[in-house]
Amino acid sequence: MTKKLQSITNKLAPAALIAAILLIWQLVSSAGLVPKFMLPSPTDVAAAFAGDFSALMGHLGTTLYEAFFGLALGVGLSFVVAFLMDRFSFLYKSVYPLLVITQTIPAIAIAPLLVLWMGYDIAPKVTLVVIVCFFPVTVGLLDGFRTADPDTVNLLRSMGAGRWQIFRHIKLPSSMGHFFAGLRVAVAYSVVGAVIAEWLGGYNGLGVYMIRVKKSYAYDKMFAVIFLISIISLVLMKGVSLLQKRVMPWNKTQKKG
Amino acid sequence: MKKLVAEGISKRYGERWILRDVSLELHEREIVCLLGVSGAGKTTLFNILSGLLLPEQGKVWLQGEDITGQAGHISYMLQKDLLLPYRRVLDNVALPLILRGEGKKNARARAAEHFEEFGLAGTEKCYPGELSGGMRQRAALLRTYLSSQGVALLDEPFSALDTITKGEMHRWYLDVMGRIDLSTLFITHDIDEALLLSDRIYVITGQPGQITDELCIAEPRPRGQEFLLTERFLAYKRQILGLLKLSKQQ
């Protein structure tokens, strides 16, 4: 009973904090402390969201399409690269530092180049998403492969397992925890990546829409888009958690033993 | 009939010799114990027998066939059960068959046949994390049994268990060994365990490890815990303690 109570309190605390922030924001805005066009109140944002709902959903479709397309390609590429890097240690040694260095280049800095090279269509958006998703997933997989227990690897070798069988039966399944941690980050990145690429030019998508409403000084609509992006990211991250529960059913039984 | 023969095994890491001229044999359905203090190279010897390490000198024969340095013939079991936490117990046990190229369905069916015998009935669909330590060791032993051609190497398999579970496991193990066709080579540093379980004991001592003595325990199996209280048991134990002490003085 106390445990249940505790879990309710745990959920209640952040909700209360968010409510408090919204309330203060509303008060500041309606008291006129900040000009309304600069900081629209939460109710204005909600109204803009409702008013623009169908347009938002249309643009969301485009953005999600780019994000998922890029995410799928990025994750696929991660598996291939991580597998090769694990298989050939010289690849691991030479490529790993490079991976880390590329990670220090901000996505927003390469986005204009991609648009320059690939035009206003979907290609630069998907490419940027691939780039931002690739790193967390690849590193997650590589770290995961390394957690494979050497005693278990030896045991399987004594049973006559080959390299591929060891990968398939030990390394891959032991990496799933790390993989999903990386994927959770990657889904959030994928939406943001797509939006950033859309800022720089395109015909459709939440980023394009954002630039459009910004230019017309419709900041309430701008906030509505930001709100939508963060909701979508949260939903996707939750989706990854659910997927993880499906793929790793042994996790919830582990504690009992 | 001789199941497993090791002949003149010597092994070194760098300049340091771990094993020198170790020879032993294991007969059909025998339980043979390798008794010695830690650091005598027992685990290295197991890695050589299972084909994971290549000895500097010596040969390993399985039923007359030279298997020196070849993995896949003899499997072993450690005190850690090493069950894959992400596979159900049935799939864990069937794994050696699958690795050998058997179809999943066949492998599962063959593994499932033994669950009753090993006291594992009803655990097929569980994950290893849901089983007790003793159950997990049983599953690990069944996996070893299925992966080996009648020979199992057990490296202190029961030493991580509490005393009561350990006693139960000993009883259960002797009972199972009476029913299945398995020859076991068993590492332990526990003299009581060695005397309770084995038909013969090799005493391995020194650095590098050498087999210094061999004892036959001419007592009928299975032996109950009451054997631990008999005069004969004490006589054996005194003899072994003497051998271990003697080797230390040298």
Side-chain angles (χ1 to χ4, degrees), chain A residues 256-257, chain B residues 83 89 120 122-123 126-136 139:
Chain A
K256 284 190 233 158
Chain B
L83 295 169
V89 175
L120 288 165
T123 63
C126 296
Y127 286 100
E130 297 171 283
L131 301 188
S132 66
M135 286 288 230
R136 284 205 293 266

Side-chain angles (χ1 to χ4, degrees), chain A residues 73-129:
Chain A
L73 284 178
V75 171
L77 192 66
S78 291
F79 267 96
V80 174
V81 171
F83 173 74
L84 290 174
M85 281 173 72
D86 182 70
R87 172 73 180 74
F88 303 104
S89 63
F90 73 92
L91 265 185
Y92 186 90
K93 284 183 204 131
S94 50
V95 177
Y96 199 90
L98 193 72
L99 273 181
V100 176
I101 292 169
T102 58
Q103 198 49 23
T104 61
I105 302 170
I108 196 158
I110 32 176
L113 282 175
L114 293 175
V115 173
L116 200 64
W117 291 333
M118 299 175 178
Y120 288 118
D121 261 330
I122 188 171
K125 286 101 178 168
V126 172
T127 310
L128 191 72
V129 175

Side-chain angles (χ1 to χ4, degrees), chain A residues 149 151-152 154-162 165-166 168-171 173-174 249-250 253-257, chain B residues 50 52 71-76 78 80 82 84-87 95-96 98-100 127 129-131 136 143 147:
Chain A
D149 175 35
D151 283 335
T152 312
N154 268 339
L155 179 73
L156 260 71
R157 278 180 55 210
S158 87
M159 293 175 180
Q165 286 177 316
I166 284 172
R168 154 101 183 64
H169 291 287
I170 304 181
K171 288 195 170 175
S174 349
W250 62 89
T253 62
Q254 198 113 84
K255 299 272 147 52
K256 284 190 233 158
Chain B
S50 59
L52 293 178
H73 295 284
I74 302 179
S75 186
Y76 58 83
L78 306 182
K80 288 196 278 177
L82 298 182
L84 307 177
Y86 38 81
R87 291 278 159 82
L95 185 64
I98 290 168
L99 289 177
R100 225 177 281 152
Y127 286 100
E130 297 171 283
L131 301 188
R136 284 205 293 266
R143 179 179 59 181
S147 68

Side-chain angles (χ1 to χ4, degrees), chain A residues 43-57:
Chain A
T43 44
D44 294 337
V45 174
F49 186 82
D52 259 7
F53 189 75
S54 66
L56 280 173
M57 288 304 122

